[in-house]
Amino acid sequence: MEKKYCGIIFDLDGVICHTDHYHYLAWKKLAEKEHIYFDESINHRLRGVSRMESLEILLERADKTYTEEEKERMAEAKNTIYVELLGQMTENDLPENVKRTLDDLRKKGYLLAIGSSSKNTKRILKYIGLENYFDAISDGTNITRSKPDPEVFLKAAEMLELSAEKCIVIEDARAGIDAAVAGGFASAGIGEAKLHSGVTYQLESFEDLTQIV
Ligand code: BG6
Ligand code: MG
């Protein structure tokens, strides 16, 4: 049977591993220090969005305005807390069903890529034992516009030497599904992203991926 897709582009935080929770904890700590209200529902809006743009969303609830320099310092402080949390990660933080599914897809001949807005992507992949696993890594270090802009996925497809319609994007963020739609990619949504009206497939669990590609 001919494959519908040849390349699979995975978001990292919240799809491959649960670093989305560490992002939440780090922003929460920063918000508390600055006496800014922050909760899980605001956190959902940060999924897929770059560090500085995430900070702008968090600051919507601030009582004062911050200078650009102060914002830079806050983003850096959040990243320091986040990187410290990442330091506890090991190969055990790669869920077993995710690894099994990735291995299965690889065996079936799909090209596998990462498409993440994070500048910490390579560090995380190393911690969870996937340092040299993917055929391409497009991340926060090679893009100028973060999701919902499709740049990160278009770059991933280009690295795989595939057109957008030969790839499928796997996402947990609404902004990620917007990016997939804007780039002409099919998508599979998990968690929050499942509820997006533009999503091609709704994934109940990661391993269901093998049924849809
Ligand atoms: C995305 C996360 O993967 O990366 C966002 O979903 C995060 O929440 C963004 O803000 C940028 O991450 P980093 O590690 O560069 O601060
Ligand atoms: Mg994500």
Side-chain angles (χ1 to χ4, degrees), residues 146-206:
S146 94
K147 301 167 191 175
D149 191 283
E151 186 182 10
V152 75
F153 296 141
L154 291 171
K155 289 257 167 75
E158 198 182 303
M159 289 175 192
L160 296 178
E161 298 183 6
L162 292 172
S163 62
E165 71 256 30
K166 281 281 152 205
C167 299
I168 180 167
V169 162
I170 320 302
E171 262 293 350
D172 71 317
R174 284 173 179 269
I177 303 297
D178 284 335
V181 172
F185 294 88
S187 63
I190 59 177
E192 265 281 291
K194 237 181 5 192
L195 310 171
H196 192 296
S197 60
V199 79
T200 321
Y201 306 95
Q202 297 178 321
L203 278 189
E204 288 312 321
S205 69
F206 193 89

Side-chain angles (χ1 to χ4, degrees), residues 11-15 47-48 171-173:
D11 171 53
L12 177 68
D13 299 320
V15 169
R47 287 179 190 274
E171 262 293 350
D172 71 317

Side-chain angles (χ1 to χ4, degrees), residues 76-123:
E76 227 175 274
K78 181 267 173 176
N79 193 52
T80 303
I81 302 165
Y82 179 60
V83 168
E84 216 174 288
L85 291 167
L86 293 181
Q88 319 160 1
M89 291 184 87
T90 67
E91 292 183 14
N92 295 332
D93 291 288
L94 174 63
E96 221 230 295
N97 65 326
V98 172
K99 182 65 168 62
R100 209 180 332 112
T101 306
L102 289 173
D103 286 345
D104 188 33
L105 294 168
R106 146 104 357 118
K107 235 185 279 155
K108 289 182 172 139
Y110 294 97
L111 290 175
L112 309 180
I114 290 287
S116 165
S117 306
S118 175
K119 292 185 171 148
N120 290 299
T121 295
K122 293 190 180 101
R123 182 199 301 270

